[in-house]
């Protein structure tokens, strides 16, 4: 099976997202698709997956011209799409998610639970016989790698020949990535080609047979992955020689005598225990750990701790009794979570509506509380310009943006109508599923916020990101905050040693 896209054009009002792109996808290969933020990757796979109709161009499937009328039409023709944000239904089991919409029934009306469970396990085993997942458990309780496998198995339920995987390992630690890599590698041998979008260039090189590079909505080149290296990919994506990491340079070391912006002692929640932690104005503190180690949970608890067991928190020297999202936001704490389309953005809303989510009063007339679309649009344009968001207008739906631009909106909603309001900003996986260009821009924004005197906490599974940003790093294991590392004594190796040593 081969799908040939020829001269594909996609226009949005005021923006040409794709300009004459041509590429062929086959069912006997893993085909990497890369490009900088806004290069057109998301738009191209949306067309391939049937969720968008192109403005111009042709699509051929096994030599026949086709026009995909929707994702269902694409699936019927053997093309499935596993999106970056995920589409599993919380509260349902893994088995129920695999057979969602195709549940076996008795007498044509009642779901046959026993048959559903059997078919789900048989489907998993038929594709991945050496993979063991508890499909009876609620899907949200499974490790993220298992959740992604459940999504893949659901997509493979029909006669799929081309599987689109959009940032499949964006939030996975190394061990779980390797497990998913093995699954991706075996699919072409089973007659399923993979279109792989990933901002991890090493992953693209390791898994792909061929690689296509897009830049500014145009095709740069398609070439065999064998013999290529990251330097070549970066040069093609950016058209200049550039390191894949942010230049570190000098760091601002905070005044040790300054009153901490936030300080906790004997902090206890069901997931984490921290004896003492503080962040001072202008400081960027990184939190690292293996999956489930507690660094993400601790970061969230500084903003919202409804199940706190004990401990004290002081904000700018004042003891805080109510550590809730509403109360901490009022005090000047912002929280940018991971999984942006689940925890941060509303997919049915425009960019303007999402940006105005936290501070709608910024678009209102004085104290009357009457919203002014013109004022909202003006402020939305300011934030979009400040963050270099690539979009046709503030009225564009957020779901139409690339991953990097979505993340900028997730950050921008805290800056909208809130100049200088926040003294502590907490980021969890701040560059999850974004390309190197957008990552660099987000890092520069975080550094700029720190220079303005804002205290920053960054919890990330990307150790190089932490090394590029932080002045101090706290490692976690088994729900405990353990050791600290201080710049400039940072390296990926030292971080790994700190985490593994803590577990030993």
């Amino acid at each position: 099976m081969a799908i040939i896209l020829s001269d594909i054009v996609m226009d949005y009002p005021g923006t040409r997202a794709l300009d004459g792109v041509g590429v062929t996808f086959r069912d006997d290969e893993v085909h990497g698709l890369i490009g900088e933020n806004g290069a057109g990757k998301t738009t191209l796979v949306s067309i391939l997956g049937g969720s968008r109709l192109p403005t111009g161009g042709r699509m051929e499937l096994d030599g026949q011209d086709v026009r995909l009328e929707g994702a269902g039409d694409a699936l019927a023709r053997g093309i499935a799409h596993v999106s970056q944000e995920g589409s599993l239904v919380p509260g349902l089991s893994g088995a129920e998610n695999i057979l969602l919409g195709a549940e076996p029934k008795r007498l044509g009306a009642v779901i046959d639970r026993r048959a559903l469970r059997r078919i789900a396990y048989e489907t998993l085993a038929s594709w991945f016989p050496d993979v063991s997942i508890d499909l009876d458990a609620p899907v949200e309780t499974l490790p993220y790698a298992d959740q992604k496998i459940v999504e893949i198995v659901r997509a493979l339920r029909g006669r799929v020949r081309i599987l689109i995987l959009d940032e499949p390992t964006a939030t996975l630690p190394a061990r779980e990535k390797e497990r998913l890599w093995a699954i991706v590698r075996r699919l072409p041998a089973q007659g399923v080609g993979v279109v792989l979008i990933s901002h991890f260039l090493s992953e693209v090189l390791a898994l792909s047979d061929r690689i296509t590079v897009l830049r500014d909505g145009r095709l740069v080149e398609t070439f065999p992955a064998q013999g290529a290296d990251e330097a070549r990919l970066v040069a093609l994506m950016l058209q200049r020689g550039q390191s894949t990491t942010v230049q570190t340079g000098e760091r601002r070391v905070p005044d040790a005598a300054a009153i901490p912006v936030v300080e906790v002692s004997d902090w206890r929640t069901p997931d984490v225990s921290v004896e003492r932690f503080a962040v001072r104005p202008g400081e960027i503190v990184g939190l690292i750990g293996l999956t489930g180690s507690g660094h993400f949970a601790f970061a969230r608890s500084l903003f919202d701790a409804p199940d706190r067991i004990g401990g004290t928190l002081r904000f700018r020297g004042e003891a805080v009794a109510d550590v809730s999202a509403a109360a901490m936001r009022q005090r000047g704490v912002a929280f940018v979570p991971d999984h942006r389309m689940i925890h941060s953005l509303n997919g049915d809303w425009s960019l303007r509506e999402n940006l105005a989510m936290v501070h709608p009063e910024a678009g209102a007339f004085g104290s009357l509380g009457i919203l002014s679309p013109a004022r909202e649009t003006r402020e939305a344009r300011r934030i979009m310009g400040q963050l270099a968001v690539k979009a046709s207008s503030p009225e564009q739906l957020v779901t139409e943006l690339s991953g990097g631009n979505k993340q900028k909106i997730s950050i921008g909603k805290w800056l909208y109508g809130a100049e200088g309001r926040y003294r502590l900003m907490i980021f969890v996986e701040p560059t999850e599923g974004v390309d190197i260009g957008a990552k660099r821009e987000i890092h520069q924004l975080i550094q700029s916020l720190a220079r303005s005197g804002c205290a920053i906490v960054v919890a990330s599974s990307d150790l190089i990101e932490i090394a590029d940003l932080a002045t101090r790093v706290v490692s976690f294991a088994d729900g405990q905050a353990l050791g600290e590392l201080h710049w400039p004594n940072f390296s990926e190796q030292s971080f790994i040693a700190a985490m593994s040593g803590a577990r030993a």
Side-chain angles (χ1 to χ4, degrees), residues 482-501:
L482 298 168
E484 284 193 1
L485 294 169
H486 294 263
W487 180 85
N489 302 313
F490 287 171
S491 69
E492 191 172 20
Q493 291 73 23
S494 67
F495 292 159
I496 292 171
M499 293 186 295
S500 61

Side-chain angles (χ1 to χ4, degrees), residues 365-389:
F365 287 114
S367 60
L368 297 177
I370 301 173
L371 295 180
S372 164
R375 290 192 179 195
E376 287 186 334
T377 298
R378 187 163 54 248
E379 179 64 5
R381 287 190 184 279
R382 183 184 74 82
I383 296 300
M384 290 168 65
Q386 178 181 340
L387 301 186
V389 174

Side-chain angles (χ1 to χ4, degrees), residues 264 267-269 272 274 294-308 313 323-324 328 335 426:
V264 300
W267 193 248
R268 303 286 186 272
T269 75
V272 70
V274 177
H295 57 315
F296 290 168
F298 176 62
R300 295 186 188 100
S301 75
L302 295 177
F303 180 70
D304 188 24
D307 51 0
R308 175 168 51 124
L313 182 148
V323 186
S324 65
M328 296 305 287
F335 179 68
I426 303 165

Side-chain angles (χ1 to χ4, degrees), residues 42-91:
T42 299
T43 302
L44 185 64
V45 296
S46 294
I47 291 170
L48 178 63
S51 59
R52 300 204 176 278
L53 284 173
T55 307
R58 295 175 56 202
M59 180 183 295
E60 295 179 45
L61 178 59
D62 289 337
Q64 301 292 320
D65 283 359
V66 295
R67 176 185 171 90
L68 300 179
E69 299 294 343
D73 187 18
L75 188 59
R77 296 175 184 271
I79 306 167
H81 188 178
V82 177
S83 69
Q84 178 179 337
E85 276 75 30
S87 60
L88 298 177
V89 180

Side-chain angles (χ1 to χ4, degrees), residues 124-146:
L124 173 63
S126 68
W127 284 103
F128 311 121
D130 56 343
V131 171
S132 177
I133 298 176
D134 181 6
L135 297 181
D136 298 317
V139 72
E140 68 272 19
T141 67
L142 297 176
Y144 280 123
D146 288 355

Side-chain angles (χ1 to χ4, degrees), residues 213-225:
V213 182
L214 300 180
R215 185 175 63 242
D216 297 327
R218 296 183 176 90
L219 173 68
V220 177
E221 187 178 349
T222 298
F223 52 90

Side-chain angles (χ1 to χ4, degrees), residues 49-386:
S51 59
R52 300 204 176 278
L53 284 173
T55 307
R58 295 175 56 202
M59 180 183 295
E60 295 179 45
L61 178 59
D62 289 337
Q64 301 292 320
D65 283 359
V66 295
R67 176 185 171 90
L68 300 179
E69 299 294 343
D73 187 18
L75 188 59
R77 296 175 184 271
I79 306 167
H81 188 178
V82 177
S83 69
Q84 178 179 337
E85 276 75 30
S87 60
L88 298 177
V89 180
L92 297 185
S93 68
E96 289 168 327
N97 269 279
I98 287 175
L99 291 176
L100 189 65
E103 298 88 347
K105 296 180 180 178
R106 291 177 293 183
L107 304 177
V110 180
I111 294 177
D112 188 335
R113 300 282 176 189
R114 182 176 297 177
L116 182 147
R117 183 178 181 277
R118 175 179 54 78
I119 294 170
Y121 274 101
E122 287 175 353
T123 304
L124 173 63
S126 68
W127 284 103
F128 311 121
D130 56 343
V131 171
S132 177
I133 298 176
D134 181 6
L135 297 181
D136 298 317
V139 72
E140 68 272 19
T141 67
L142 297 176
Y144 280 123
D146 288 355
Q147 291 184 33
K148 191 59 66 173
I149 293 170
V150 167
E151 280 198 273
I152 291 172
V153 172
R154 183 173 68 186
L156 295 172
R157 199 175 60 198
R159 297 176 178 272
V160 172
R161 303 293 300 281
I162 298 290
L163 179 65
I164 303 166
L165 294 180
D166 192 349
E167 301 287 1
T169 67
T171 60
L172 301 183
R175 288 177 300 180
E176 294 190 19
K177 285 181 183 180
E178 292 172 1
R179 184 182 187 193
L180 202 57
W181 279 21
I183 285 172
V184 171
R185 284 192 179 104
R186 73 177 66 166
L187 285 171
Q190 295 174 280
V192 178
V194 176
V195 178
L196 174 67
I197 297 178
S198 176
H199 70 284
F200 295 114
L201 300 185
S202 59
E203 177 171 85
V204 173
L205 288 167
L207 296 179
S208 301
D209 298 293
R210 289 189 302 146
I211 299 172
T212 289
V213 182
L214 300 180
R215 185 175 63 242
D216 297 327
R218 296 183 176 90
L219 173 68
V220 177
E221 187 178 349
T222 298
F223 52 90
Q226 187 173 6
D229 57 22
E230 290 192 29
R232 180 185 179 188
L233 299 189
V234 172
L236 290 171
M237 290 166 62
L238 304 180
Q239 210 170 23
R240 57 186 179 274
Q242 180 171 330
S243 170
T244 58
T245 62
V246 175
Q247 298 300 314
T248 54
E250 290 297 317
R251 310 275 171 103
R252 172 181 174 179
V253 178
D255 181 359
I259 295 175
V261 175
V262 67
E263 182 177 16
V264 300
S265 57
D266 296 322
W267 193 248
R268 303 286 186 272
T269 75
D271 299 312
V272 70
S273 174
V274 177
E275 287 189 16
R276 186 174 180 82
F277 176 86
V279 188
R280 290 174 168 80
E283 187 177 19
I284 302 177
V285 176
L287 308 181
I288 62 173
L290 302 175
T291 299
S293 65
H295 57 315
F296 290 168
F298 176 62
R300 295 186 188 100
S301 75
L302 295 177
F303 180 70
D304 188 24
D307 51 0
R308 175 168 51 124
I309 297 169
T312 59
L313 182 148
R314 302 181 73 86
F315 187 78
R316 304 179 77 179
E318 180 183 346
V320 178
D322 182 10
V323 186
S324 65
M328 296 305 287
R329 187 183 73 184
Q330 190 68 28
R331 288 179 177 272
V333 182
F335 179 68
V336 181
D338 54 349
H339 301 298
R340 54 186 167 265
M341 293 307 298
I342 299 173
H343 300 142
S344 181
L345 302 176
N346 187 322
D348 295 327
W349 287 5
S350 67
L351 276 60
R352 171 180 59 82
E353 291 168 320
N354 273 284
L355 285 170
M357 185 188 301
V358 179
H359 301 292
E361 68 277 5
F365 287 114
S367 60
L368 297 177
I370 301 173
L371 295 180
S372 164
R375 290 192 179 195
E376 287 186 334
T377 298
R378 187 163 54 248
E379 179 64 5
R381 287 190 184 279
R382 183 184 74 82
I383 296 300
M384 290 168 65
Q386 178 181 340

